[in-house]
Amino acid sequence: MSDLHSLDDVRARIDTLDGDLIRLLADRQALVRVAATFKTDQQAVRAPDRVERVVALARERATSAGLAPEVAEAVWRAMIGAFIELELTEHATLARTTTAP
């Protein structure tokens, strides 16, 4: 990070990372949508045990990478919550279209 000589340099690097994160989240969303096809009800979508395992792993990885585990947990819980809502909405839409006359 020796090439960061100003706030503008730091912000430009953050903007680049944000672009990378968006692409990774889009990939994750595609996988979430595929996973949703295997789930049959809201409980399977919400999967609280799975959420806790994913959050615990994120905290472990964060510690190893030098990220505050509290930050990782907050980000992962927000991300997972958003994807759960997306899945629930898609399940509801699919249910309406398959039961419509």
Side-chain angles (χ1 to χ4, degrees):
M1 297 209 185
S2 62
D3 60 330
L4 302 175
H5 303 291
S6 69
L7 181 57
D8 286 341
D9 291 346
V10 173
R11 287 179 174 164
R13 181 74 65 86
I14 289 171
D15 290 346
T16 298
L17 286 173
D18 286 349
D20 294 343
L21 289 170
I22 292 295
R23 285 185 288 283
L24 290 169
L25 286 169
D27 289 347
R28 193 181 199 283
Q29 176 179 284
L31 291 169
V32 165
R33 284 187 160 141
V34 172
T37 65
F38 297 101
K39 300 174 185 177
T40 56
D41 58 30
Q42 286 190 11
Q43 183 64 19
V45 171
R46 292 187 187 283
D49 292 341
R50 168 75 176 148
V51 170
E52 293 310 312
R53 286 193 308 272
V54 170
V55 169
L57 183 57
R59 288 182 64 92
E60 288 175 26
R61 289 175 172 168
T63 300
S64 296
L67 173 65
E70 305 81 24
V71 171
E73 180 170 351
V75 169
W76 255 251
R77 287 193 185 281
M79 175 184 65
I80 291 168
F83 282 128
I84 287 171
E85 289 305 314
L86 176 69
E87 278 190 77
L88 290 173
T89 299
E90 290 185 1
H91 271 261
T93 300
L94 181 60
R96 282 194 301 274
T97 60
T98 58
T99 59

